[in-house]
Amino acid sequence: MAVFRLTPAFKDYIWGGTRLRDEYGKKCDYDKVAESWELSCHKDGASVVADGEDKGFTLAEYIDKHGKAVLGTDCEKFENFPILIKLIDAKDNLSVQVHPDNEYALRVEGEYGKTEMWYIVDCDEGATLLYGFKHEISKEEFAERIADNTLLEVTNAVPVKKGDVFFIQAGTLHAIGKGILIAEIQQNSNTTYRIYDYGRVGKDGKPRELHVEKAKDVTCLAPAKTYPETPVEQHEGYTSKLLSSCDYFTTYALDVETKAQLTADEKSFNSILVLEGECEIDGIKALKGDSVFVTAGSGSYTVEGKCKAVLTKV
């Protein structure tokens, strides 16, 4: 059994804020801390083992050393590490964007596509995000509205509150709105096609690159699929709620009052991202914002304390 914290990689995108540093204890020198990649083996930002004899190894190096058995049998079908988990602080609006599916992304970009899930950790009053279209539109109308900057007239703006969940299947048009802090669980991909970016410029003073032609290839021009609410399940010392389940990840919200008895079986590792409070995970102290990795086959382990967290398996 191995349980250890991970140190994230950081991104300083122009729309980011400072909450991840100020409120979640992230040690980063960037002026803006837009994203922390909490669980990542991606080449664009790897998380690093923070505890134990392998401290300082990237997660990918840890897996190479100890073998893929630490990931579990459900990961064997994936050539690469399957998921990426982030905290995202949107002080300003993100671009209106879309992600391709596996077939398109592997053919065009050489990596997985991106299906993802958003869990609203916190948000300003009145915050909204974009999620699909108000109604189905044609490819011709999509192209025209991109060209004349009227796309937002047909996108679906959704008010959000803390605890909301959005499943973003590949091909779904979307955009995180300003004033929202999100835990994102996604496929292990960094392929994003920007469609509209509010006329902003990047650090070089030039308009940020758009990917309109690729977006036209992959965008589903219809309302986003809705998913039923799942019940809260009562357990001794804690509650759990299924947030989403797909071919790539299964994620739960945990609300621990005293102690949660959990299991990392042979099928999958467990990733625990602490969002509120603090706890000990088999002796490893985890504070608000900490990410903890439990290897597959570890068996029963405890999360003890008072905290809210997101638990992800493959």
Side-chain angles (χ1 to χ4, degrees):
M1 175 179 186
V3 180
F4 49 85
R5 291 178 302 117
L6 290 168
T7 301
F10 297 103
K11 301 296 177 180
D12 62 345
Y13 304 134
I14 61 173
W15 43 260
T18 61
R19 294 187 66 182
L20 296 181
R21 178 174 57 237
D22 299 343
E23 300 178 31
Y24 289 82
K26 302 302 178 184
K27 294 179 173 59
C28 178
D29 293 332
Y30 292 154
D31 291 335
K32 295 180 178 181
V33 189
E35 297 182 354
S36 60
W37 291 19
E38 299 291 336
L39 177 72
S40 173
C41 288
H42 198 280
K43 61 181 175 57
D44 293 340
S47 48
V48 176
V49 177
D51 305 305
E53 64 179 24
D54 296 311
K55 181 178 179 179
F57 280 40
T58 66
L59 182 57
E61 290 169 342
Y62 176 89
I63 295 164
D64 286 343
K65 176 180 176 180
H66 294 278
K68 288 191 174 181
V70 300
L71 302 182
T73 55
D74 283 352
C75 290
E76 292 174 356
K77 60 188 176 185
F78 299 106
E79 181 179 354
N80 301 314
F81 190 76
I83 64 173
L84 198 164
I85 297 178
K86 304 174 180 177
L87 286 172
I88 301 175
D89 175 22
K91 185 176 177 60
D92 198 359
N93 294 317
L94 273 71
S95 60
V96 180
Q97 57 190 242
V98 69
H99 307 302
D101 62 15
N102 285 343
E103 185 279 327
Y104 188 95
L106 287 168
R107 175 167 52 86
V108 176
E109 308 294 346
E111 70 169 3
Y112 291 136
K114 191 197 290 191
T115 285
E116 62 193 21
M117 184 215 77
W118 294 341
Y119 179 68
I120 308 299
V121 178
D122 199 8
C123 60
D124 292 346
E125 186 174 353
T128 63
L129 54 77
L130 297 186
Y131 186 51
F133 291 87
K134 294 177 182 176
H135 52 78
E136 189 169 351
I137 66 172
S138 67
K139 289 186 177 181
E140 292 75 20
E141 181 179 357
F142 187 45
E144 289 170 3
R145 288 189 176 276
I146 292 172
D148 63 16
N149 288 325
T150 62
L151 184 62
L152 297 186
E153 293 179 8
V154 292
T155 55
N156 183 34
V158 183
V160 298
K161 65 183 185 302
K162 186 175 179 178
D164 282 349
V165 178
F166 295 87
F167 187 76
I168 316 291
Q169 191 167 10
T172 303
L173 182 109
H174 61 277
I176 303 172
K178 63 181 179 181
I180 302 176
L181 195 146
I182 280 177
E184 179 175 284
I185 292 82
Q186 59 160 90
Q187 285 182 266
N188 183 14
S189 172
N190 198 29
T191 297
T192 296
Y193 298 151
R194 293 192 200 104
I195 304 166
Y196 177 74
D197 197 36
Y198 306 93
R200 291 182 293 201
V201 297
K203 296 176 183 177
D204 58 3
K206 299 177 181 179
R208 296 207 299 168
E209 182 182 6
L210 301 181
H211 314 90
V212 172
E213 295 306 315
K214 290 179 178 179
K216 290 177 183 177
D217 289 341
V218 304
T219 303
C220 176
L221 303 176
K225 183 179 178 181
T226 58
Y227 296 87
E229 183 79 5
T230 57
V232 174
E233 297 187 3
Q234 301 289 331
H235 310 273
E236 185 176 353
Y238 75 104
T239 63
S240 66
K241 178 181 172 67
L242 176 66
L243 300 180
S244 67
S245 184
C246 65
D247 291 342
Y248 311 107
F249 52 79
T250 298
T251 304
Y252 301 86
L254 303 180
D255 189 345
V256 181
E257 282 294 324
T258 53
K259 182 169 70 173
Q261 197 75 39
L262 305 175
T263 302
D265 60 23
E266 301 291 342
K267 293 183 177 181
S268 175
F269 64 87
N270 284 197
S271 166
I272 298 176
L273 179 58
V274 180
L275 301 176
E276 294 182 23
E278 59 182 71
C279 60
E280 282 198 4
I281 303 175
D282 268 29
I284 299 293
K285 188 172 184 178
L287 306 177
K288 177 180 177 179
D290 280 346
S291 174
V292 176
F293 189 89
V294 183
T295 55
S298 292
S300 179
Y301 67 96
T302 59
V303 178
E304 193 163 3
K306 185 174 178 60
C307 68
K308 296 181 186 295
V310 171
L311 166 66
T312 301
K313 308 175 182 181
V314 171

